[in-house]
């Protein structure tokens, strides 16, 4: 709005300088870019991110399997760990040695994180594995993927707004510097006694 009012104010003003009108046009162009380009780019990036992430959700849902593991023994000095996708930092997990059967039928044995506070031999817990029984992270869910896509779109829009505003400020700063340089040249041409009566006679 300031850009539009600035254009209107300088339209027929006899004190208008070329730089004043140029500043108003730069501000109006920046406003249009912020209102049009930023949302469009943010939407495009969000849509592309959503497509890629939802494809990843489908691939992970197909390739990752939830299997039941059996505790063999608890490992000493088990650290406190939490799955950042599903739990808060208060959820305790124990490090154990466990046996499980992979989706392809092979038997597996190794260290795993069990969501058991006090695991004992023979306790059961679930883990995510690939088709060959190797442990993997929990698959990405659709809601989390959508959240990440929305954040990517918003981040892109905000980045565009920042770039446009930064460019506008840089352009205006350079215009003001040129204006001051021209004023200094005009003062130098006027000389030190510009205000004395009879100067130039």
């Amino acid at each position: 709005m300031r850009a539009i009012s600035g254009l209107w104010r300088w339209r027929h003003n006899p004190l208008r300088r070329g730089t004043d009108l140029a500043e108003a046009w730069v501000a109006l162009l920046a406003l249009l870019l912020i209102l049009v380009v930023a949302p469009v780019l943010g939407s495009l990036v969000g849509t592309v991110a959503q497509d890629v992430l939802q494809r990843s959700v489908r691939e992970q849902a197909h390739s990752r399997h939830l299997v039941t593991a059996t505790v063999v023994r608890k490992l000493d000095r088990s650290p406190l760990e939490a799955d950042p996708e599903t739990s808060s930092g208060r959820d305790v997990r124990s490090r154990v040695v466990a046996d499980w059967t992979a989706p392809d039928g092979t038997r597996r044995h190794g260290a795993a994180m069990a969501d058991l506070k006090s695991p004992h031999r023979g306790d059961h817990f679930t883990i995510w594995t690939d088709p060959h029984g190797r442990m993997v992270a929990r698959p990405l869910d659709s809601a989390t993927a959508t959240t990440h896509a929305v954040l990517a779109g918003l981040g892109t829009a905000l980045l565009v707004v920042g770039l446009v505003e930064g460019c506008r400020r840089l352009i205006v700063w350079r215009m003001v510097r040129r204006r001051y340089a021209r004023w200094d040249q005009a003062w130098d041409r006027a000389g030190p006694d510009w205000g004395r009566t009879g100067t130039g006679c």
Side-chain angles (χ1 to χ4, degrees):
M1 291 307 294
R2 193 170 70 186
I4 295 170
S5 65
L7 281 173
W8 184 258
R9 185 175 70 241
W10 291 117
R11 198 166 153 219
H12 296 296
N13 192 322
L15 299 176
R16 181 194 74 194
R17 297 167 296 201
T19 55
D20 295 324
L21 194 58
E23 273 184 51
W25 277 111
V26 167
L28 180 61
L29 179 61
L31 179 66
L32 291 174
L33 288 173
I34 287 171
L35 292 177
V36 176
V37 175
V40 168
L41 280 179
S43 177
L44 286 174
V45 169
T47 300
V48 170
Q50 174 76 340
D51 291 343
V52 170
L53 288 170
Q54 290 301 332
R55 190 178 318 120
S56 180
V57 166
R58 290 189 295 274
E59 289 171 0
Q60 289 183 15
H62 179 70
S63 65
R64 298 185 184 191
H65 307 276
L66 193 62
V67 300
T68 301
T70 305
V71 175
V72 174
R73 66 182 167 85
K74 181 177 179 180
L75 290 176
D76 294 334
R77 299 178 61 194
S78 60
L80 300 179
E81 292 190 13
D83 182 352
E85 296 288 336
T86 60
S87 60
S88 68
R90 293 188 299 268
D91 294 334
V92 177
R93 305 189 78 197
S94 303
R95 190 165 172 78
V96 299
V97 174
D99 291 324
W100 65 92
T101 302
D104 64 4
T106 57
R107 302 275 298 160
R108 289 283 184 166
H109 176 84
M113 295 303 299
D115 54 354
L116 302 168
K117 288 184 182 177
S118 181
H120 300 288
R121 183 179 178 84
D123 288 347
H124 298 290
F125 63 98
T126 55
I127 57 173
W128 288 98
T129 70
D130 66 9
H132 305 292
R134 290 185 294 265
M135 282 186 291
V136 293
R138 183 179 70 88
L140 182 67
D141 63 85
S142 184
T144 303
T146 299
T147 300
H148 289 191
V150 168
L151 290 174
L154 280 174
T156 301
L158 290 174
L159 181 63
V160 170
V161 169
L163 285 173
V164 169
E165 178 60 15
C167 289
R168 184 196 69 80
R169 286 175 183 254
L170 179 63
I171 291 168
V172 169
W173 175 77
R174 295 205 47 168
M175 292 168 80
V176 169
R177 295 272 303 199
R178 272 197 215 122
R179 184 186 306 154
Y180 287 159
R182 283 198 297 271
W183 284 352
D184 287 341
Q185 291 169 1
W187 280 110
D188 289 341
R189 281 195 302 270
D193 53 3
W194 61 271
R196 294 184 185 168
T197 306
T199 299
C201 296

